[in-house]
Amino acid sequence: MYWNPMPTVAASADLEVVNYPGGDRRLGPPEAYLRGRWADRDWRNVPGPFYGARTDSCWVGRDIAPDLVIYEDEYGGEIVYRQPRNAREVQLVLTAAWNDPWAAYAADGDEHWTLDLVRDWWADRHRLVAWIDDVRRRWSVSERGDERDNAVGLGEFAQFIDDGLRDYLRSYGFWLDNRRLPRPDESLPDLSQW
């Protein structure tokens, strides 16, 4: 089910930067480091509020949020492959964003996604699966530990596509249309194209 992370983002300025080597450090206002642009988002980001949009290639995101972030294989940009499911995961994604020197993460996806766009993204998932399979195959045998770790993350992304992502997207589609979670007696939208 979709969980709305935006109240946590709005109150995040005082959250601690996760694993900051210099000791206690606060995230500060999210507008200082969530400056990615919708037009620049990577097509592989899972629909939701958070996305990477031409992030740096420092490969820090998985160190901080391995259950939420993977890297693409052309420039090493960071992709949000699973949206946060609780306040702790929001803190992890925000810390990954805070560490991006280009400040190219964003959390304004709810302002851009529509149910039709989510349906289009889901309809194109076969291209995503083919990309995951290709990069995972190559990087799982890499001499580089960070590439092998990313191959593990790609495997988790593939598993999420097979089991869980469809239900999440249906719930997110309901959220987009209604700006609330469904009641038990309400149906979730279908993801098939009309």
Side-chain angles (χ1 to χ4, degrees):
M1 289 296 277
Y2 177 72
W3 175 78
N4 181 13
M6 298 316 293
T8 305
V9 173
S12 66
D14 217 24
L15 289 177
E16 187 176 335
V17 173
V18 177
N19 296 330
Y20 187 69
D24 185 32
R25 178 85 186 247
R26 301 296 159 183
L27 287 168
E31 58 273 8
Y33 55 87
L34 291 175
R35 296 193 312 249
R37 296 179 336 142
W38 176 256
D40 295 333
R41 80 191 180 290
D42 190 286
W43 63 273
R44 292 160 282 214
N45 285 284
V46 164
F50 289 99
Y51 57 91
R54 296 188 184 170
T55 63
D56 73 330
S57 57
C58 295
W59 287 47
V60 176
R62 279 195 59 76
D63 290 341
I64 297 163
D67 295 334
L68 307 164
V69 174
I70 57 165
Y71 310 118
E72 52 88 5
D73 60 329
E74 188 173 1
Y75 301 107
E78 297 177 6
I79 297 165
V80 178
Y81 80 90
R82 186 187 308 264
Q83 294 292 325
R85 297 161 288 188
N86 56 53
R88 175 64 175 166
E89 289 185 352
V90 171
Q91 183 181 13
L92 294 172
V93 170
L94 291 177
T95 298
W98 184 88
N99 277 281
D100 178 24
W102 294 351
Y105 273 79
D108 64 353
D110 290 354
E111 298 171 23
H112 302 284
W113 285 108
T114 64
L115 179 54
D116 285 339
L117 288 177
V118 170
R119 285 178 172 140
D120 290 344
W121 187 92
W122 179 248
D124 198 30
R125 70 189 175 283
H126 303 293
R127 177 172 73 134
L128 178 62
V129 169
W131 173 80
I132 289 171
D133 289 346
D134 174 58
V135 177
R136 186 176 172 202
R137 179 185 46 77
R138 289 184 286 119
W139 283 5
S140 64
V141 295
S142 173
E143 293 181 11
R144 291 179 46 183
D146 54 0
E147 288 183 350
R148 290 191 311 274
D149 173 67
N150 197 57
V152 170
L154 289 165
E156 292 165 358
F157 193 3
Q159 183 176 358
F160 183 43
I161 292 169
D162 288 343
D163 184 25
L165 181 56
R166 181 177 177 275
D167 290 339
Y168 160 80
L169 291 175
R170 291 181 68 210
S171 178
Y172 183 55
F174 185 95
W175 169 264
L176 291 171
D177 276 357
N178 300 283
R179 299 301 169 166
R180 63 174 177 80
L181 296 177
R183 292 185 303 268
D185 63 329
E186 292 180 302
S187 298
L188 297 177
D190 193 348
L191 291 181
S192 61
Q193 300 291 353
W194 301 106

